mmCIF file of all heavy atoms in Angstrom:
data_model
loop_
_atom_site.group_PDB
_atom_site.id
_atom_site.type_symbol
_atom_site.label_atom_id
_atom_site.label_comp_id
_atom_site.label_asym_id
_atom_site.label_seq_id
_atom_site.Cartn_x
_atom_site.Cartn_y
_atom_site.Cartn_z
ATOM 1 N N ILE A 79 24.444 77.448 200.569
ATOM 2 C CA ILE A 79 24.844 78.207 199.389
ATOM 3 C C ILE A 79 23.710 78.123 198.371
ATOM 4 O O ILE A 79 23.181 77.046 198.096
ATOM 5 C CB ILE A 79 26.144 77.649 198.784
ATOM 6 C CG1 ILE A 79 27.274 77.699 199.824
ATOM 7 C CG2 ILE A 79 26.526 78.437 197.538
ATOM 8 C CD1 ILE A 79 27.608 79.097 200.317
ATOM 9 N N LEU A 80 23.339 79.259 197.811
ATOM 10 C CA LEU A 80 22.201 79.318 196.893
ATOM 11 C C LEU A 80 22.649 79.119 195.451
ATOM 12 O O LEU A 80 23.782 79.432 195.085
ATOM 13 C CB LEU A 80 21.490 80.667 197.035
ATOM 14 C CG LEU A 80 20.997 81.010 198.445
ATOM 15 C CD1 LEU A 80 20.406 82.413 198.462
ATOM 16 C CD2 LEU A 80 19.971 79.994 198.915
ATOM 17 N N ILE A 81 21.723 78.626 194.639
ATOM 18 C CA ILE A 81 22.029 78.402 193.226
ATOM 19 C C ILE A 81 22.000 79.730 192.470
ATOM 20 O O ILE A 81 21.072 80.529 192.631
ATOM 21 C CB ILE A 81 21.032 77.403 192.594
ATOM 22 C CG1 ILE A 81 21.418 77.113 191.139
ATOM 23 C CG2 ILE A 81 19.597 77.909 192.690
ATOM 24 C CD1 ILE A 81 20.626 75.984 190.518
ATOM 25 N N PRO A 82 23.018 80.015 191.670
ATOM 26 C CA PRO A 82 23.054 81.276 190.917
ATOM 27 C C PRO A 82 21.961 81.328 189.854
ATOM 28 O O PRO A 82 21.616 80.320 189.254
ATOM 29 C CB PRO A 82 24.442 81.260 190.264
ATOM 30 C CG PRO A 82 25.225 80.241 191.023
ATOM 31 C CD PRO A 82 24.228 79.216 191.475
ATOM 32 N N ALA A 83 21.431 82.525 189.642
ATOM 33 C CA ALA A 83 20.440 82.748 188.582
ATOM 34 C C ALA A 83 20.736 84.107 187.976
ATOM 35 O O ALA A 83 20.308 85.135 188.488
ATOM 36 C CB ALA A 83 19.023 82.700 189.134
ATOM 37 N N GLN A 84 21.476 84.120 186.886
ATOM 38 C CA GLN A 84 21.989 85.370 186.331
ATOM 39 C C GLN A 84 20.901 86.275 185.766
ATOM 40 O O GLN A 84 21.087 87.479 185.647
ATOM 41 C CB GLN A 84 23.015 85.050 185.233
ATOM 42 C CG GLN A 84 23.858 86.245 184.810
ATOM 43 C CD GLN A 84 24.703 85.923 183.594
ATOM 44 O OE1 GLN A 84 24.193 85.626 182.529
ATOM 45 N NE2 GLN A 84 26.004 85.983 183.751
ATOM 46 N N THR A 85 19.744 85.710 185.429
ATOM 47 C CA THR A 85 18.708 86.517 184.787
ATOM 48 C C THR A 85 17.684 87.078 185.769
ATOM 49 O O THR A 85 16.668 87.611 185.358
ATOM 50 C CB THR A 85 17.966 85.680 183.730
ATOM 51 O OG1 THR A 85 17.431 84.502 184.355
ATOM 52 C CG2 THR A 85 18.905 85.275 182.607
ATOM 53 N N ARG A 86 17.928 86.954 187.054
ATOM 54 C CA ARG A 86 16.996 87.465 188.050
ATOM 55 C C ARG A 86 17.758 88.297 189.075
ATOM 56 O O ARG A 86 18.578 87.782 189.821
ATOM 57 C CB ARG A 86 16.261 86.310 188.749
ATOM 58 C CG ARG A 86 15.305 85.550 187.845
ATOM 59 C CD ARG A 86 14.096 86.412 187.486
ATOM 60 N NE ARG A 86 13.123 85.692 186.676
ATOM 61 C CZ ARG A 86 13.109 85.688 185.361
ATOM 62 N NH1 ARG A 86 14.025 86.365 184.685
ATOM 63 N NH2 ARG A 86 12.189 85.027 184.698
ATOM 64 N N TRP A 87 17.468 89.595 189.102
ATOM 65 C CA TRP A 87 18.163 90.487 190.034
ATOM 66 C C TRP A 87 18.016 90.002 191.472
ATOM 67 O O TRP A 87 18.973 89.970 192.235
ATOM 68 C CB TRP A 87 17.597 91.899 189.935
ATOM 69 C CG TRP A 87 17.934 92.673 188.709
ATOM 70 C CD1 TRP A 87 17.055 93.119 187.764
ATOM 71 C CD2 TRP A 87 19.225 93.124 188.269
ATOM 72 N NE1 TRP A 87 17.717 93.805 186.773
ATOM 73 C CE2 TRP A 87 19.048 93.827 187.060
ATOM 74 C CE3 TRP A 87 20.511 92.991 188.786
ATOM 75 C CZ2 TRP A 87 20.101 94.402 186.366
ATOM 76 C CZ3 TRP A 87 21.566 93.567 188.092
ATOM 77 C CH2 TRP A 87 21.362 94.256 186.906
ATOM 78 N N LEU A 88 16.776 89.646 191.866
ATOM 79 C CA LEU A 88 16.508 89.293 193.258
ATOM 80 C C LEU A 88 17.306 88.063 193.676
ATOM 81 O O LEU A 88 17.968 88.061 194.717
ATOM 82 C CB LEU A 88 15.010 89.052 193.460
ATOM 83 C CG LEU A 88 14.571 88.671 194.886
ATOM 84 C CD1 LEU A 88 15.015 89.730 195.882
ATOM 85 C CD2 LEU A 88 13.058 88.493 194.952
ATOM 86 N N LEU A 89 17.247 87.002 192.872
ATOM 87 C CA LEU A 89 17.976 85.786 193.203
ATOM 88 C C LEU A 89 19.483 86.020 193.151
ATOM 89 O O LEU A 89 20.230 85.513 193.993
ATOM 90 C CB LEU A 89 17.580 84.654 192.251
ATOM 91 C CG LEU A 89 16.146 84.137 192.378
ATOM 92 C CD1 LEU A 89 15.879 83.055 191.351
ATOM 93 C CD2 LEU A 89 15.892 83.600 193.778
ATOM 94 N N LEU A 90 19.918 86.776 192.166
ATOM 95 C CA LEU A 90 21.342 87.071 192.040
ATOM 96 C C LEU A 90 21.839 87.832 193.265
ATOM 97 O O LEU A 90 22.915 87.547 193.798
ATOM 98 C CB LEU A 90 21.595 87.887 190.773
ATOM 99 C CG LEU A 90 23.051 88.256 190.476
ATOM 100 C CD1 LEU A 90 23.897 87.001 190.324
ATOM 101 C CD2 LEU A 90 23.133 89.105 189.210
ATOM 102 N N SER A 91 21.047 88.773 193.732
ATOM 103 C CA SER A 91 21.415 89.546 194.913
ATOM 104 C C SER A 91 21.517 88.650 196.141
ATOM 105 O O SER A 91 22.439 88.788 196.955
ATOM 106 C CB SER A 91 20.379 90.650 195.154
ATOM 107 O OG SER A 91 20.726 91.430 196.276
ATOM 108 N N MET A 92 20.591 87.722 196.276
ATOM 109 C CA MET A 92 20.608 86.797 197.412
ATOM 110 C C MET A 92 21.834 85.890 197.370
ATOM 111 O O MET A 92 22.455 85.612 198.401
ATOM 112 C CB MET A 92 19.324 85.964 197.416
ATOM 113 C CG MET A 92 18.064 86.774 197.700
ATOM 114 S SD MET A 92 16.536 85.838 197.411
ATOM 115 C CE MET A 92 16.688 84.549 198.645
ATOM 116 N N VAL A 93 22.193 85.434 196.171
ATOM 117 C CA VAL A 93 23.371 84.574 196.009
ATOM 118 C C VAL A 93 24.634 85.336 196.407
ATOM 119 O O VAL A 93 25.494 84.827 197.139
ATOM 120 C CB VAL A 93 23.485 84.073 194.554
ATOM 121 C CG1 VAL A 93 24.837 83.397 194.323
ATOM 122 C CG2 VAL A 93 22.361 83.102 194.239
ATOM 123 N N VAL A 94 24.750 86.560 195.922
ATOM 124 C CA VAL A 94 25.921 87.389 196.226
ATOM 125 C C VAL A 94 26.030 87.639 197.728
ATOM 126 O O VAL A 94 27.106 87.483 198.325
ATOM 127 C CB VAL A 94 25.837 88.731 195.467
ATOM 128 C CG1 VAL A 94 26.876 89.714 196.000
ATOM 129 C CG2 VAL A 94 26.041 88.508 193.979
ATOM 130 N N ASN A 95 24.919 88.011 198.344
ATOM 131 C CA ASN A 95 24.929 88.273 199.784
ATOM 132 C C ASN A 95 25.328 87.039 200.580
ATOM 133 O O ASN A 95 26.062 87.130 201.573
ATOM 134 C CB ASN A 95 23.552 88.757 200.244
ATOM 135 C CG ASN A 95 23.234 90.155 199.752
ATOM 136 O OD1 ASN A 95 24.133 90.937 199.444
ATOM 137 N ND2 ASN A 95 21.957 90.483 199.665
ATOM 138 N N ARG A 96 24.841 85.881 200.142
ATOM 139 C CA ARG A 96 25.144 84.649 200.860
ATOM 140 C C ARG A 96 26.627 84.294 200.764
ATOM 141 O O ARG A 96 27.243 83.897 201.757
ATOM 142 C CB ARG A 96 24.283 83.509 200.302
ATOM 143 C CG ARG A 96 24.454 82.159 201.019
ATOM 144 C CD ARG A 96 24.073 82.244 202.501
ATOM 145 N NE ARG A 96 22.762 82.812 202.708
ATOM 146 C CZ ARG A 96 21.613 82.130 202.626
ATOM 147 N NH1 ARG A 96 21.633 80.844 202.310
ATOM 148 N NH2 ARG A 96 20.463 82.731 202.868
ATOM 149 N N ILE A 97 27.209 84.454 199.587
ATOM 150 C CA ILE A 97 28.626 84.117 199.421
ATOM 151 C C ILE A 97 29.510 85.085 200.207
ATOM 152 O O ILE A 97 30.477 84.673 200.854
ATOM 153 C CB ILE A 97 29.011 84.104 197.928
ATOM 154 C CG1 ILE A 97 28.352 82.903 197.239
ATOM 155 C CG2 ILE A 97 30.530 84.039 197.758
ATOM 156 C CD1 ILE A 97 28.646 82.800 195.762
ATOM 157 N N VAL A 98 29.171 86.370 200.170
ATOM 158 C CA VAL A 98 29.949 87.347 200.940
ATOM 159 C C VAL A 98 29.825 87.057 202.434
ATOM 160 O O VAL A 98 30.812 87.142 203.179
ATOM 161 C CB VAL A 98 29.480 88.785 200.627
ATOM 162 C CG1 VAL A 98 30.155 89.784 201.570
ATOM 163 C CG2 VAL A 98 29.790 89.141 199.177
ATOM 164 N N GLU A 99 28.630 86.698 202.864
ATOM 165 C CA GLU A 99 28.413 86.353 204.269
ATOM 166 C C GLU A 99 29.288 85.170 204.689
ATOM 167 O O GLU A 99 29.857 85.155 205.784
ATOM 168 C CB GLU A 99 26.939 85.999 204.481
ATOM 169 C CG GLU A 99 26.616 85.474 205.878
ATOM 170 C CD GLU A 99 25.280 84.748 205.936
ATOM 171 O OE1 GLU A 99 25.122 83.727 205.229
ATOM 172 O OE2 GLU A 99 24.407 85.204 206.687
ATOM 173 N N GLN A 100 29.392 84.190 203.802
ATOM 174 C CA GLN A 100 30.114 82.956 204.114
ATOM 175 C C GLN A 100 31.588 83.006 203.700
ATOM 176 O O GLN A 100 32.304 82.013 203.855
ATOM 177 C CB GLN A 100 29.430 81.778 203.405
ATOM 178 C CG GLN A 100 27.981 81.554 203.769
ATOM 179 C CD GLN A 100 27.802 81.087 205.203
ATOM 180 O OE1 GLN A 100 28.645 80.369 205.744
ATOM 181 N NE2 GLN A 100 26.710 81.501 205.834
ATOM 182 N N TRP A 101 32.043 84.132 203.170
ATOM 183 C CA TRP A 101 33.394 84.228 202.594
ATOM 184 C C TRP A 101 34.497 83.751 203.542
ATOM 185 O O TRP A 101 35.345 82.916 203.143
ATOM 186 C CB TRP A 101 33.666 85.656 202.138
ATOM 187 C CG TRP A 101 34.798 85.784 201.156
ATOM 188 C CD1 TRP A 101 36.133 85.813 201.428
ATOM 189 C CD2 TRP A 101 34.682 85.895 199.726
ATOM 190 N NE1 TRP A 101 36.865 85.945 200.276
ATOM 191 C CE2 TRP A 101 35.998 85.995 199.209
ATOM 192 C CE3 TRP A 101 33.608 85.929 198.844
ATOM 193 C CZ2 TRP A 101 36.264 86.131 197.854
ATOM 194 C CZ3 TRP A 101 33.868 86.062 197.487
ATOM 195 C CH2 TRP A 101 35.176 86.159 197.005
ATOM 196 N N PRO A 102 34.558 84.228 204.798
ATOM 197 C CA PRO A 102 35.646 83.769 205.685
ATOM 198 C C PRO A 102 35.631 82.259 205.902
ATOM 199 O O PRO A 102 36.687 81.611 205.878
ATOM 200 C CB PRO A 102 35.369 84.521 206.995
ATOM 201 C CG PRO A 102 34.552 85.700 206.600
ATOM 202 C CD PRO A 102 33.702 85.225 205.462
#
Side-chain angles (χ1 to χ4, degrees):
I79 301 299
L80 303 176
I81 184 171
Q84 194 188 62
T85 56
R86 292 290 183 268
W87 288 116
L88 180 57
L89 292 178
L90 181 60
S91 181
M92 293 170 64
V93 170
V94 168
N95 289 337
R96 183 61 52 83
I97 290 179
V98 172
E99 174 197 61
Q100 301 292 327
W101 199 279

